[in-house]
Amino acid sequence: MLSFFKNKSQSSKLGIDISSTSVKLLELSRQGDRYRVEAYGVEPLPPNAVVEKNITDVEGVGVAIARLVNHCKTGVKQAAVAVAGSAVITKTIEMDVALSDDEMENQIRVEADQYIPYPLDEVSIDFEVQGIAEDNPEQVEVLLAACRSENVDLRVDVLEIGGLQAKVVDVEAYAMERTFSLIADQIDGGEDQTVAIVDVGATMTTLSVLHDGKTIYTREQLFGGKQLTEEIQRRYGLSVEEAGLAKKQGGLPDDYESEVLEPFKEAVVQQVTRSLQFFFSSSQYNDVDHIILAGGTASISGLDELVQDKVGTTTSVSNPFVNMSLATRVNAAALSNDAPALMIACGLALRSFD
């Protein structure tokens, strides 16, 4: 069975986050209850190598991973990688409390076709016991997760080309949830509240809502920082690379802030508002206690204040590394700038310590 949850070997694993425009690598170590960043890096991908979370250029992604591993000078060869939440079917079922893990696995294999709308030879399945069922102490609630094997195999293949071995295939939402446990103490109320994490990537915006530290809702929308890059390209006649660099490093004409950046920030606020409205309309919730901005776009100066002002909910930018120490080869300023985009990579690297 696929290791969405379980991880028998406690060896160091790289967190490898494959997004639509880049691959991110993170290596963590732990002493006592303190984590340390041993290595991290971000490597751009060839155009359209990943489209809407689907890997379309296996060789291109694999070669980028190889470059990244080489650049980060890490000796770790095992990795944790994730599939998008939209590619995974999850279902909570009840099973006899007396069953062992092996017995549960056998029973799930026999009964899985009741829960999964794909042929069983085309899917990878995993499960995790959540605890005793509320209404029946003789049953346990079991979270079942299934994903088309093709999605998993492609990720295993690109890691192999990159010189790594896939030890864990996780789900992005669970990786995000794991990282949230590191940043919960940075916000008033900690884990015991309802928190919206809005991850604005290059092409996709993902809303994850956590209640008491557990994911209760996730939704992806086509919107991202690429729209800002394309507008810079169009307005100032730059190439994709030049526009991407100018977006990060500055040096654009005086009208950039008012004519390009401000309208884009307003568009982000609209996306946040719309995503939350979808959540409220499909749940019993009509409010969240805190908004956390993640993804590369979260680094835009003043975006958190604008969201807080317009939505009326306390908003902060994610940084899971605040309480971590750094290896001497890790550039603190670069890590701080990239921190919001490393939420998933961080959650995957934390699989080393399950």
Side-chain angles (χ1 to χ4, degrees), residues 10-305:
Q10 280 203 339
S11 56
S12 200
K13 292 170 197 65
L14 300 173
I16 302 287
D17 175 21
I18 302 166
S19 68
S20 54
T21 56
S22 66
V23 179
K24 303 167 194 80
L25 176 152
L26 183 67
E27 179 190 346
L28 298 177
S29 63
R30 183 170 68 179
Q31 286 181 314
D33 59 357
R34 186 123 195 257
Y35 294 103
R36 174 170 133 127
V37 180
E38 296 292 345
Y40 107 93
V42 181
E43 182 70 28
L45 286 172
N48 301 316
V50 177
V51 179
E52 291 177 30
K53 308 278 178 106
N54 296 310
I55 296 171
T56 54
D57 177 2
V58 173
E59 189 68 28
V61 176
V63 169
I65 291 171
R67 274 201 306 271
L68 185 55
V69 170
N70 188 44
H71 172 72
C72 291
K73 298 183 169 54
T74 173
V76 177
K77 292 298 177 196
Q78 296 188 345
V81 70
V83 292
S86 56
V88 180
I89 295 166
T90 57
K91 188 170 182 64
T92 302
I93 59 175
E94 292 192 0
M95 302 186 78
D96 190 327
V97 72
L99 294 176
S100 68
D101 269 10
D102 287 344
E103 288 167 334
M104 277 188 185
E105 184 169 325
N106 290 333
Q107 192 172 323
I108 285 169
R109 281 189 189 282
V110 172
E111 298 176 2
D113 58 349
Q114 294 176 39
Y115 314 115
I116 296 157
Y118 305 124
L120 291 187
D121 57 356
E122 292 178 13
V123 293
S124 301
I125 305 170
D126 197 8
F127 68 94
E128 182 176 68
V129 177
Q130 303 289 288
I132 301 291
E134 275 183 30
D135 52 354
N136 186 350
E138 293 182 4
Q139 299 271 303
V140 284
E141 290 192 340
V142 178
L143 178 62
L144 191 63
C147 175
R148 279 186 176 274
S149 299
E150 177 189 23
N151 279 323
V152 175
D153 296 343
L154 285 170
R155 281 156 177 78
V156 172
D157 291 346
V158 296
L159 287 179
E160 211 167 87
I161 293 169
L164 300 174
Q165 180 190 11
K167 291 300 282 184
V168 174
V169 179
D170 207 330
V171 181
E172 288 181 357
Y174 299 143
M176 191 72 85
E177 181 182 299
R178 212 171 289 113
T179 303
F180 174 69
S181 67
L182 296 180
I183 58 177
D185 63 354
Q186 297 171 29
I187 62 175
D188 290 341
E191 279 193 0
D192 305 329
Q193 54 185 331
T194 306
V195 177
I197 302 176
V198 185
D199 186 339
V200 189
T203 61
M204 301 280 273
T205 295
T206 306
L207 168 67
S208 299
V209 182
L210 292 90
H211 182 71
D212 294 344
K214 292 290 178 196
T215 305
I216 57 169
Y217 176 90
T218 178
R219 180 188 170 91
E220 294 169 1
Q221 283 181 230
L222 271 175
F223 174 84
K226 193 176 176 188
Q227 283 165 249
L228 176 58
T229 311
E230 286 170 349
E231 181 58 22
I232 293 169
Q233 266 182 275
R234 192 185 66 75
R235 188 172 282 259
Y236 304 113
L238 303 174
S239 69
V240 181
E241 291 77 12
E242 289 166 340
L245 213 56
K247 185 168 80 170
K248 278 187 173 171
Q249 297 178 354
L252 286 161
D254 292 344
D255 68 351
Y256 167 64
E257 291 247 342
S258 61
E259 296 293 316
V260 180
L261 186 59
E262 288 305 322
F264 176 75
K265 284 162 74 170
E266 292 287 350
V268 174
V269 173
Q270 284 180 353
Q271 282 296 321
V272 173
T273 306
R274 194 175 297 149
S275 297
L276 288 171
Q277 289 304 331
F278 275 121
F279 166 60
F280 298 145
S281 66
S282 63
S283 70
Q284 77 267 37
Y285 296 86
N286 54 18
D287 199 8
V288 294
D289 299 305
H290 195 97
I291 295 170
I292 294 174
L293 298 180
T297 301
S299 300
I300 293 175
S301 177
L303 185 60
D304 52 338
E305 287 102 331

Side-chain angles (χ1 to χ4, degrees), residues 305-341:
E305 287 102 331
L306 188 65
V307 170
Q308 180 167 314
D309 188 43
K310 293 289 174 75
V311 180
T313 301
T314 309
T315 303
S316 57
V317 178
S318 66
N319 184 349
F321 309 111
V322 167
N323 297 317
M324 294 191 193
S325 57
L326 310 182
T328 49
R329 60 183 170 165
V330 175
N331 180 322
L335 179 66
S336 177
N337 189 50
D338 285 330

